[in-house]
Amino acid sequence: MLHRKETSKRTSRSRRGRPVAVVGAVLALLGGVFTVANQTATASPSDAGGADSDVGLTAASVVEVTGGDGSWELTVDGAPYTVEGLTWGPPADQAANYMPDLASMGVNTTRTWGTDASSEPLFDAAAANGVRVIAGFWLQPGGGPGSGGCVDYVNDWDYKGEQLEAMNIWVDAYKDHPAVLMWSVGNESVLGLQNCYEGAELEAQRIAYAEFVNIAALEIKALDSNHPVTSTDAWTGAWEYYEAYSPDLDLLQVNSYDAVCDIQQTWIDEGYTRPYILTEGGPAGEWEVDDDANGVPLEPSDVAKAEGYQAAWDCLMDHEGVALGATLFHYGLEYDFGGVWFNLLPGGDKRLSYYAVSEIFGGDAPSNTPPVITDFAVDGDATSVPAGADFTVSASVNDPDGDAIAYEVLLNSKYIDEGGALETAEFTENGDGGFTVTAPTRPGVWKVYLAARDGQGHLGIETASIRVVAPPVDGTNVALGADTTASTFQEQGDGAPFFPEYATDGDPTTRWASAWEDPQWLEVDLGATTSIDTVQLYWETSFARAYEVQVSENGDDWTAIHTETAGGGGVETVDVNGSGRYVRVLGTERGTGWGYSLFEFGVYSS
């Protein structure tokens, strides 16, 4: 998951002397309403230590956390079991297509974030391939900062009761399924609550959440005594809440990336008393790396990511008798911003990280491996690329098997509008390791990706960033600092007010924004009749699909000198021929559901 982690250390605290309330009751319909499909695998159960694609799981197992005081073990039917896993990404109903590949990597465990009726094909495919499942239950605000919505764990008994009801249903439905390894309640909510509350209320909510997790653990154990119960957070600081308020969890779980090598010492320093599993881990995340020249996180290379998985596993396994294994992140297929950062198979193509993880878990040796891209860079000044202009990128690309390489250049607007999608750029290969690329017309920091495919189902991909800026215009911007008015401006909202004069202040970080209706206008008083030959409109996301640029001598009678009916936003630089004391842009059709918004309205005179 892509999110910033809370880094502040917390000191230990004593448990508050208030009773733990019991929420909800086990439903009367639990006992047979929900059933699990018959297993299709006929081979005998696999060795508890690892998966085998030729050996299925045909009977439910007894899973226990045994030992203590730094000599813990996870056992399956009495045999030691180290979690050698990956988090699960494909749709559950496609699990039969992908689970054999997971097993071929040597994976014995996969982890999910939610469990319900749709989980059945995933459980079935896992069992058929000798893979066990850490079955998750999602709780808001899961997924760390800014994700999943806010819940009042102190007072919202309806929400807590509904979640307990759902957990009870699905534990009862799947508790005898051969694939189940353990149950996991919640994901990153102790950390995520900081986005909903602060101060004393945040503390109360975190305590109430941990208490609720313990209630869930007790109810799950009442239904299923054969599988452990745990909970996951993104931050070892959450463990002190589980220590104090969730005593019935059998073990702890944590999501950690570049910081995974700090877990062991934190566990020792804080005096924790339960073993743990790493439930997400791998290379450094967006929140852990230095910024590049454009002020955005510097994504590790494919090579560094592959090395990151091995480093994370080595640090984890160094904590003998306490760390019980990991589900590394992520057996996912998405080909987007997050998918390129973390997925082992973005777009379904295997990358270096896929084979690094397979090697860690003793998977099948590859007969062909991905292209390796090194020294990928934007040539020239990556901090100032004119909108719509050409720029070049270069790289060294090597395919270990000598396969022919097909290239693709892509762009992403994550750092402009939080968009995750990759869009194909216009580019040409220069034949010397370089590529000429057409920059977007929308200013801001863009991610640029070079993808190399070998035709054998493999992908090498590297990324850098460019800052797209408004292209320079000859002449003098006579609107700069001039008196500016508008039909409306937004007085409320994040960052408001958005005054009209912000569109003529020369600062590309400030903007005018109108009401969310048509038509709207922004007008500049040049002080005297002035000849103009160029107008530049630097739109925010809320652009005009249709508009006119108009001039007037008196501010009442207007003449159009430019008409646009298919505006695309970004930066639009148009040649005009006109004169007047007043110049305005009149928006008649919005390009979005919002209003009109301009970072800059430039009016140029030679």
Side-chain angles (χ1 to χ4, degrees):
M1 319 294 287
L2 299 182
H3 40 248
R4 300 273 174 179
K5 308 292 186 183
E6 181 169 297
T7 57
S8 59
K9 282 263 187 181
R10 293 181 173 272
T11 57
S12 300
R13 60 178 60 75
S14 60
R15 185 170 182 169
R16 294 184 180 179
R18 66 183 192 183
V20 176
V22 178
V23 183
V26 179
L27 296 182
L29 52 75
L30 287 178
V33 174
F34 297 92
T35 60
V36 180
N38 293 331
Q39 303 305 299
T40 58
T42 57
S44 58
S46 68
D47 181 292
D52 186 330
S53 60
D54 296 323
V55 180
L57 308 173
T58 59
S61 299
V62 176
V63 183
E64 297 178 291
V65 178
T66 63
D69 298 327
S71 60
W72 284 283
E73 279 189 331
L74 188 66
T75 64
V76 176
D77 293 332
Y81 186 99
T82 298
V83 174
E84 298 179 348
L86 280 167
T87 53
W88 181 258
D93 62 4
Q94 297 180 26
N97 297 330
Y98 292 100
M99 201 65 71
D101 181 55
L102 200 73
S104 77
M105 298 174 70
V107 168
N108 66 9
T109 307
T110 192
R111 179 217 172 184
T112 69
W113 290 265
T115 303
D116 56 23
S118 68
S119 304
E120 186 174 313
L122 188 148
F123 284 121
D124 291 348
N129 289 275
V131 176
R132 290 182 165 86
V133 180
I134 298 176
F137 291 108
W138 188 262
L139 294 173
Q140 295 179 347
S147 177
C150 295
V151 172
D152 181 352
Y153 281 97
V154 174
N155 300 303
D156 193 343
W157 302 101
D158 288 341
Y159 176 80
K160 292 187 283 188
E162 291 166 359
Q163 299 310 306
L164 285 175
E165 178 180 309
M167 284 184 255
N168 287 335
I169 289 172
W170 301 115
V171 168
D172 195 58
Y174 295 119
K175 64 184 180 182
D176 295 322
H177 199 292
V180 173
L181 181 69
M182 66 182 70
W183 307 102
S184 180
V185 180
N187 179 73
E188 301 190 359
S189 288
V190 175
L191 176 66
L193 282 164
Q194 69 181 341
N195 298 284
C196 306
Y197 304 99
E198 59 185 19
E201 182 60 24
L202 173 59
E203 184 70 3
Q205 291 292 334
R206 283 175 162 168
I207 291 169
Y209 172 81
E211 291 175 338
F212 174 65
V213 166
N214 200 65
I215 294 166
L218 289 171
E219 293 210 10
I220 290 170
K221 289 182 176 186
L223 287 168
D224 179 9
S225 61
N226 290 329
H227 299 99
V229 183
T230 183
S231 184
T232 290
D233 219 274
W235 166 56
T236 51
W239 283 355
E240 68 176 82
Y241 294 92
Y242 295 137
E243 283 284 292
Y245 304 104
S246 308
D248 292 290
L249 294 177
D250 296 293
L251 70 162
L252 303 171
Q253 295 187 144
V254 66
N255 299 336
S256 184
Y257 293 82
D258 195 49
V260 67
C261 292
D262 299 330
I263 296 175
Q264 179 176 353
Q265 194 60 50
T266 300
W267 190 91
I268 294 168
D269 291 345
E270 299 297 327
Y272 293 118
T273 60
R274 280 173 280 190
Y276 63 88
I277 293 172
L278 180 71
T279 38
E280 291 179 24
E286 186 186 3
W287 58 94
E288 296 174 303
V289 297
D290 293 334
D291 287 345
D292 67 10
N294 286 313
V296 300
L298 183 62
E299 186 165 344
S301 68
D302 259 2
V303 171
K305 289 173 183 176
E307 293 171 345
Y309 286 99
Q310 184 68 62
W313 182 256
D314 290 345
C315 283
L316 188 71
M317 289 296 97
D318 187 56
H319 202 181
E320 295 182 11
V322 182
L324 305 182
T327 53
L328 301 174
F329 193 85
H330 175 52
Y331 192 87
L333 308 174
E334 295 86 355
Y335 189 46
D336 56 12
F337 175 92
V340 170
W341 200 300
F342 285 111
N343 284 349
L344 302 186
L345 300 98
D349 293 320
K350 299 173 183 177
R351 64 198 302 191
L352 292 176
S353 294
Y354 172 97
Y355 291 107
V357 172
S358 183
E359 183 175 0
I360 290 168
F361 295 148
D364 296 342
S367 59
N368 190 286
T369 56
V372 180
I373 305 174
T374 56
D375 302 320
F376 178 60
V378 176
D379 301 330
D381 186 1
T383 67
S384 183
V385 177
D390 286 344
F391 66 99
T392 60
V393 297
S394 58
S396 297
V397 183
N398 174 59
D399 186 85
D401 308 289
D403 297 319
I405 303 298
Y407 293 100
E408 184 179 25
V409 179
L410 304 110
L411 299 163
N412 167 262
S413 62
K414 161 82 172 182
Y415 298 116
I416 299 174
D417 58 12
E418 293 296 324
L422 306 185
E423 56 185 76
T424 302
E426 293 183 17
F427 74 97
T428 56
E429 295 183 41
N430 298 336
D432 57 356
F435 303 82
T436 299
V437 188
T438 301
T441 59
R442 183 179 177 188
V445 176
W446 289 80
K447 292 268 281 185
V448 183
Y449 299 79
L450 176 64
R453 292 181 173 85
D454 64 359
Q456 306 297 318
H458 294 133
L459 170 71
I461 188 164
E462 297 294 339
T463 183
S465 76
I466 58 170
R467 183 179 297 278
V468 174
V469 299
V473 179
D474 292 335
T476 301
N477 183 4
V478 292
L480 185 62
D483 184 37
T484 307
T485 56
S487 51
T488 60
F489 69 91
Q490 289 183 26
E491 300 184 58
Q492 297 181 337
D494 188 16
F498 300 107
F499 293 120
E501 56 265 32
Y502 286 168
T504 54
D505 63 359
D507 183 350
T509 67
T510 62
R511 62 188 177 95
W512 162 70
S514 76
W516 297 8
E517 59 185 14
D518 292 315
Q520 300 290 334
W521 51 262
L522 181 79
E523 177 183 321
V524 180
D525 181 357
L526 303 179
T529 299
T530 305
S531 296
I532 58 175
D533 47 43
T534 308
V535 170
Q536 188 174 78
L537 302 163
Y538 179 174
W539 297 102
E540 194 252 355
T541 303
S542 307
F543 68 97
R545 182 75 66 198
Y547 64 89
E548 288 186 353
V549 176
Q550 303 173 327
V551 293
S552 173
E553 286 296 337
N554 56 19
D556 294 320
D557 303 309
W558 295 93
T559 300
I561 56 174
H562 176 74
T563 300
E564 179 61 66
T565 58
V571 176
E572 295 179 281
T573 304
V574 295
D575 295 330
V576 296
N577 183 13
S579 65
R581 173 175 172 173
Y582 301 92
V583 183
R584 76 174 182 180
V585 55
L586 172 67
T588 55
E589 181 186 344
R590 290 167 289 149
T592 70
W594 304 303
Y596 299 90
S597 185
L598 280 166
F599 284 115
E600 286 296 309
F601 178 37
V603 179
Y604 291 84
S605 179
S606 297

